[in-house]
């Protein structure tokens, strides 16, 4: 009798394999980091083979370390970094190029061009997404245009596209599939018909032949090749990591929300069986499609995606070198009572929701002669909470659903200083569960539902338990004042990066004061980009 579900949690910076027992408890875990490749400023790539090799290695490791045979595993579920785009040869299984990662900004200008063609509204209406370089569609276009022969091979049906779930499912089983949650991040999937959208495919000139078959999140996909684990194991669950985390946090009912503090920050609120069209630049996205006895049922989400959260702490570690480990930031930030007026806007990869400015850049303001590393560390931590506050404000404006508490997970959710500040700034209770590996847990739950290891989402909800609750303790006037200052800082970071040729349009601006430079810049830059 199989006792475990194995979750493969393929994140932006590491591949993890986690074993869950019937109570939803972690019984084993293995993790490997892999290379982040930065070929040019603003570009981020992964080697898809390295993703596969590290993922397979940790899966084998966790079985070995726990002395388990494949027969002990009822099913495997995958939770994955979303949007990251792989194009591979169907016959050889070889990627035609490095994967283009969700953080990669190389297609920002291509998105501007699509916006100029008036496609932003159509994209939002059909896919629920902002027209942004974040999503897979323009990354696919880039690969088809820049890899020699790729377009012709794609049109002949020789190449396959997939996000990381598809890639791993292909390597494990040979199937070319994705689930609705991952499909909904490509900017090619119709949120309402739950099909690839032919009009968008035509407008973006992407051949249908490269796309995977879309399946429910709890689909029984197929058995892994025996050489993966020595005997076949069923792959039966797929979900984008943020949707998986929402499922793992048991946010099964409309109005329930979670925020994941990983590389980025992703707040998702369950909006039930309705896709809400955001008026405040949030994403409407698919949470999960569950196949049940009476057919398939799709649950939708509103999402606010913030690009830099825990990655800002990595920047303190790797670039400023003011800490050696991420865990040290709490003590350093806690060594000062406040930031001394310093604000850090970590727009290192532009700004995501609700600003969607790919040309924003990291900005540190408010420094004085007394500013030290602790103030900057504290400002970095606080920036994570402020960005979340911007998202929550947009979410509450979009949805009539009141938020009673925010469930949290992800690496940086272990930081108590950050979690308390988050509760203070939001004026909402922040609740950390006992199991914080909720992306992996969600994938395990989906796979377990597929094979009858668990019976229903209601049963799964009984597993959820709280580790700690953070109550808001800051006066509302104080949090409002801080948020107002944050928003001033955000304005300074916006639309910073631009083509050098713009300087020739406004040569006098070199010697002007800051505000005038900004005015001139916004005027020239925003005409093509934002309007
Ligand atoms: N104690 C901490 N305080 C703040 N950030 C932390 C802490 N521990 C880890 N992090 C951050 O959390 C991130 C890792 O979280 P994780 O959920 O594993 O991310 P991902 O799935 O995106 O790879 C890193 O960016 C790291 O800097
Ligand atoms: O790898 P994570 O956990 O940072 O998640 C990345 C997101 O899925 C990107 O949309």
């Amino acid at each position: 009798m199989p006792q475990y579900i194995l979750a493969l949690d393929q994140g932006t910076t590491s591949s993890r394999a986690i074993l869950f027992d019937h109570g939803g408890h972690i019984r084993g875990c293995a993790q490997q980091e892999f290379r982040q490749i930065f070929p040019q400023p603003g570009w981020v790539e992964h080697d898809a083979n390295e993703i596969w090799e590290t993922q397979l290695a940790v899966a084998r490791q966790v079985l070995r370390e726990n002395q388990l045979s494949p027969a002990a595993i009822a099913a495997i579920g995958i939770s994955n970094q979303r949007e990251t785009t792989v194009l591979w040869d169907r016959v050889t299984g070889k990627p035609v190029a490095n994967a283009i990662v969700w953080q990669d900004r190389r297609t920002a200008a291509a998105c501007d061009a699509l916006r100029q063609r008036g496609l932003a509204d159509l994209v939002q209406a059909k896919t629920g997404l902002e027209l942004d370089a974040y999503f897979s569609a323009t990354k696919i276009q880039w690969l088809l245009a820049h890899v020699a022969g790729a377009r012709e091979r794609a049109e002949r049906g020789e190449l396959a596209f997939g996000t990381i779930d598809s890639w791993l499912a292909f390597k494990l089983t040979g199937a070319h599939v994705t689930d609705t949650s991952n499909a909904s991040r490509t900017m090619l999937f119709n949120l309402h018909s739950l099909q690839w959208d032919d009009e968008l495919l035509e407008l973006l000139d992407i051949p249908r032949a490269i796309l995977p078959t879309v399946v429910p999140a709890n689909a029984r996909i197929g058995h892994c090749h025996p050489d993966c684990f020595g005997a076949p194991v069923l792959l039966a669950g797929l979900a984008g990591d943020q949707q998986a985390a929402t499922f793992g946090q048991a946010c099964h009912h409309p109005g329930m929300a979670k925020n994941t503090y990983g590389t980025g920050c992703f707040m998702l609120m369950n909006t039930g069986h309705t896709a809400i069209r955001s008026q405040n630049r949030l994403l409407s996205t698919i949470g999960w499609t569950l196949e049940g006895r009476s057919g398939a049922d799709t649950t939708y989400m509103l999402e606010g995606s913030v690009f830099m959260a825990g990655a800002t702490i990595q920047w303190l570690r790797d670039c400023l070198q003011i800490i050696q480990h991420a865990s040290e930031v709490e003590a350093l930030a806690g060594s000062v009572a406040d930031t001394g007026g310093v604000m850090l806007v970590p727009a290192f990869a532009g700004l995501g929701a609700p600003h969607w400015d790919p040309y924003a850049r990291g900005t540190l303001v408010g420094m004085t002669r007394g500013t030290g590393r602790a103030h900057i560390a504290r400002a970095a931590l606080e920036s994570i909470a402020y960005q979340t506050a911007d998202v929550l404000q947009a979410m509450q404006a979009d949805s009539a659903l009141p938020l009673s508490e925010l469930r949290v997970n992800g690496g940086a959710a272990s930081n108590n200083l950050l979690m308390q500040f988050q509760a203070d700034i939001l004026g909402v209770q922040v609740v950390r569960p006992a199991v914080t590996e909720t992306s992996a847990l969600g994938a395990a739950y989906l796979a377990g539902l597929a094979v009858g290891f668990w019976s229903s989402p209601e049963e799964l909800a009984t597993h959820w338990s709280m580790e700690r609750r953070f109550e808001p303790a800051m006066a509302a006037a104080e949090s409002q004042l801080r948020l107002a200052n944050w928003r001033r800082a955000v304005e300074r970071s916006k639309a910073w990066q631009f083509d050098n040729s713009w300087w020739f349009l406004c040569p006098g601006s070199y010697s002007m004061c800051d505000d005038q430079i900004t005015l001139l810049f916004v005027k020239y830059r925003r005409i093509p980009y934002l309007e």
Side-chain angles (χ1 to χ4, degrees), residues 344-426:
L344 171 66
V345 184
F348 303 126
L351 286 171
H355 309 288
W356 298 105
D357 183 347
Y359 303 105
R361 285 297 176 266
T363 303
L364 193 56
V365 291
M367 286 184 291
T368 64
R369 182 66 184 77
T371 298
R373 43 203 280 279
H375 298 104
I376 292 173
R378 196 172 179 110
L381 267 189
E382 291 189 357
S383 74
I384 300 173
Y386 287 131
Q387 292 180 95
T388 296
D390 285 347
V391 166
L392 185 64
Q393 189 191 44
M395 209 167 260
Q396 297 202 305
D398 265 340
S399 151
L401 301 164
L403 185 68
S404 57
E405 62 177 30
L406 183 65
R407 297 185 172 189
V408 298
N409 59 271
S414 65
N415 190 309
N416 293 330
L417 182 70
L418 170 61
M419 293 300 105
Q420 183 57 52
F421 187 72
Q422 186 70 87
D424 289 346
I425 279 297
L426 298 181

Side-chain angles (χ1 to χ4, degrees), residues 117-459:
R117 284 168 61 192
L119 295 184
D121 271 359
L122 185 78
V123 164
Q124 198 204 16
K126 284 176 176 267
T127 67
L129 305 177
E130 285 283 321
L131 206 172
D132 193 84
Y134 176 25
F135 306 105
S136 314
T138 57
K139 300 181 197 293
I140 300 174
Q141 285 184 314
W142 193 95
L143 287 170
L144 292 177
H146 291 85
V147 175
R151 175 159 290 283
E152 295 72 24
R153 290 167 71 198
E155 277 163 7
R156 287 198 300 265
E158 293 168 15
L159 299 185
F161 149 76
T163 40
I164 297 298
D165 55 315
S166 284
W167 169 241
L168 293 179
F170 172 77
K171 295 298 279 183
L172 286 165
T173 70
H176 186 210
V177 292
T178 190
D179 85 301
T180 55
S181 72
N182 277 295
S184 73
R185 315 298 296 188
T186 58
M187 223 171 80
L188 299 171
F189 191 67
N190 191 305
L191 209 55
H192 313 286
S193 67
L194 303 179
Q195 306 283 335
W196 298 117
D197 191 282
D198 284 320
E199 187 183 3
L200 287 176
L201 288 171
E202 200 178 313
L203 284 166
L204 300 179
D205 199 15
I206 292 178
R208 207 177 213 282
I210 64 172
L211 300 177
T213 304
V214 183
V215 298
N218 60 340
R220 298 168 70 105
I221 290 155
H223 285 90
C224 301
H225 299 300
D227 49 349
C228 294
F229 302 109
V233 184
L234 185 69
L235 173 64
L238 296 181
D241 55 7
Q242 303 311 320
Q243 288 92 334
T246 314
F247 199 72
Q249 284 273 26
C251 294
H252 296 153
H253 300 292
M256 296 180 80
K258 71 88 203 177
N259 199 23
T260 297
Y261 299 79
T263 304
C265 246
F266 300 90
M267 191 191 294
L268 273 74
M269 178 187 272
N270 185 326
T271 61
H273 298 309
T274 322
I276 291 181
R277 185 162 179 182
S278 176
Q279 305 301 317
N280 295 283
R281 311 202 74 187
L282 297 181
L283 309 175
S284 191
T285 201
I286 293 178
W288 45 81
T289 299
L290 287 183
E291 186 79 63
R293 277 192 213 99
S294 51
D297 228 358
T298 295
T299 298
Y300 292 87
M301 308 273 141
L302 267 179
E303 170 172 332
S305 326
V306 164
F307 297 151
M308 285 286 154
T312 314
I313 308 306
Q314 289 173 327
W315 174 75
L316 295 180
R317 183 194 64 187
D318 302 337
C319 299
L320 296 196
Q321 300 182 346
I322 62 178
I323 50 173
Q324 283 186 317
H325 300 285
S327 57
E328 291 169 16
V329 73
E330 186 166 355
L332 180 60
S335 69
V336 288
D338 54 40
T339 67
V342 174
M343 287 273 177
L344 171 66
V345 184
F348 303 126
L351 286 171
H355 309 288
W356 298 105
D357 183 347
Y359 303 105
R361 285 297 176 266
T363 303
L364 193 56
V365 291
M367 286 184 291
T368 64
R369 182 66 184 77
T371 298
R373 43 203 280 279
H375 298 104
I376 292 173
R378 196 172 179 110
L381 267 189
E382 291 189 357
S383 74
I384 300 173
Y386 287 131
Q387 292 180 95
T388 296
D390 285 347
V391 166
L392 185 64
Q393 189 191 44
M395 209 167 260
Q396 297 202 305
D398 265 340
S399 151
L401 301 164
L403 185 68
S404 57
E405 62 177 30
L406 183 65
R407 297 185 172 189
V408 298
N409 59 271
S414 65
N415 190 309
N416 293 330
L417 182 70
L418 170 61
M419 293 300 105
Q420 183 57 52
F421 187 72
Q422 186 70 87
D424 289 346
I425 279 297
L426 298 181
V428 167
Q429 292 181 0
V430 167
V431 182
R432 194 165 58 200
V435 176
T436 53
E437 294 290 355
T438 46
S439 304
L441 182 59
Y445 281 165
L446 291 164
L449 286 175
V451 296
F453 191 78
W454 290 295
S455 62
S456 65
E458 290 72 30
E459 179 194 354

